[in-house]
Amino acid sequence: MLRKRQPIFAANWKMYKTIQETRAFFASFFGALSEYADRKTVIAPPFTALAAAREEIGAFKRQDVSIAAQNVFFEEQGAYTGEVSLPMLQELGVEFVILGHSERRHIFGETDMGVAFKVRAVCEAGLCPILCVGERLSEREAERTNMVIGIQLAAALAALPENALHGLIIAYEPVWAIGTGKVASAEQIAQVHAFIRSWFAVHFNSALAENIRILYGGSVKLNNAAQIMGIADVDGLLVGGASLDAGEFVKIVSCEI
Ligand code: 13P
């Protein structure tokens, strides 16, 4: 299938892997992964392993693989104990930043407004935000999925001009599918991805809507990756648990698209 948008296979390692484990991952990952021109791989290790990941990618001379941070603070510097800024990430060669992940929203109390500040800062710095949206099970059961996602998008992208959104990537991650082994059905994924694309057509314009990449995340494994990639409007995957194993993630990235 000839795709309009280059697919992205993104690994969110969450709070897993030391520097040593990161180096070991890349040794086996690059030992097995062909260099693909038709897809991009993005790895988001913890902050402490970003430099090692960058070094490994450089040592293997892999243009098809980039690194992402799992979060960032929007101020450039200051008295913000425990936070990391965009200049700090840029110094490490980070190109993508995951924002608004449901674990950040629900465990760490991140708000829509906080996410909006971060999206703006990441776009202004010229990096690509991977903005996560998704409904909880109770919201799906109450048939409020589109509404919840519409609100998350509107809040995160409020006050951003269209030309600031260059490089924006959306990840649809139903909260009930994250780390549970429950994957959204093909119909559910197709419906929400189409809704997100139409949301951009309505709130921005159809050219932006056509270009924006929408990833699916939530219990993606080797046995469902190709099928999910075959669903309309799915432009890539955001993989948690299954991305920690180099062998399994190589196979996911290599799936038929
Ligand atoms: P799992 O793939 O472990 O369900 O995690 C998905 C996720 O949260 C990726 O950001």
Side-chain angles (χ1 to χ4, degrees), residues 12 14 98 101 103 132 173 177-180 217-221 238-242:
N12 177 8
K14 310 191 179 186
I98 298 173
H101 191 279
E103 286 150 17
C132 302
E173 298 207 305
I178 295 176
T180 58
S219 297
V220 173
K221 308 277 178 235
L238 181 54
V239 187

Side-chain angles (χ1 to χ4, degrees), residues 41-79:
T41 302
V42 176
I43 311 262
F47 287 126
T48 49
L50 280 168
R54 177 76 254 154
E55 266 175 39
E56 295 297 326
I57 292 167
F60 284 91
K61 297 191 171 52
R62 293 295 292 250
Q63 307 281 348
D64 54 327
V65 181
S66 298
I67 51 172
Q70 298 175 19
N71 186 23
V72 73
F73 191 53
F74 50 82
E75 294 289 2
E76 286 201 356
Q77 57 178 17

Side-chain angles (χ1 to χ4, degrees), residues 8-12 40-44 66-71 94-102 105 110 115 118-119 122-123 127-133 153 156-157 167-173 213-217 236-239:
I8 295 186
F9 291 85
N12 177 8
K40 175 115 198 127
T41 302
V42 176
I43 311 262
S66 298
I67 51 172
Q70 298 175 19
N71 186 23
V94 168
E95 294 171 56
F96 297 82
V97 185
I98 298 173
L99 293 175
H101 191 279
S102 77
R105 293 177 191 262
E110 193 152 311
V115 175
K118 292 177 180 191
V119 173
V122 170
C123 288
L127 278 70
C128 301
I130 301 177
L131 171 64
C132 302
V133 295
L153 289 172
L157 305 174
L168 174 71
I169 295 161
I170 303 295
Y172 168 52
E173 298 207 305
R213 283 180 286 189
I214 308 171
L215 317 183
Y216 170 79
L237 304 171
L238 181 54
V239 187

Side-chain angles (χ1 to χ4, degrees), residues 144-164:
R144 294 176 66 231
T145 299
N146 287 0
M147 200 183 85
V148 166
I149 289 169
I151 290 170
Q152 288 171 340
L153 289 172
L157 305 174
L160 270 178
E162 181 207 327
N163 60 7

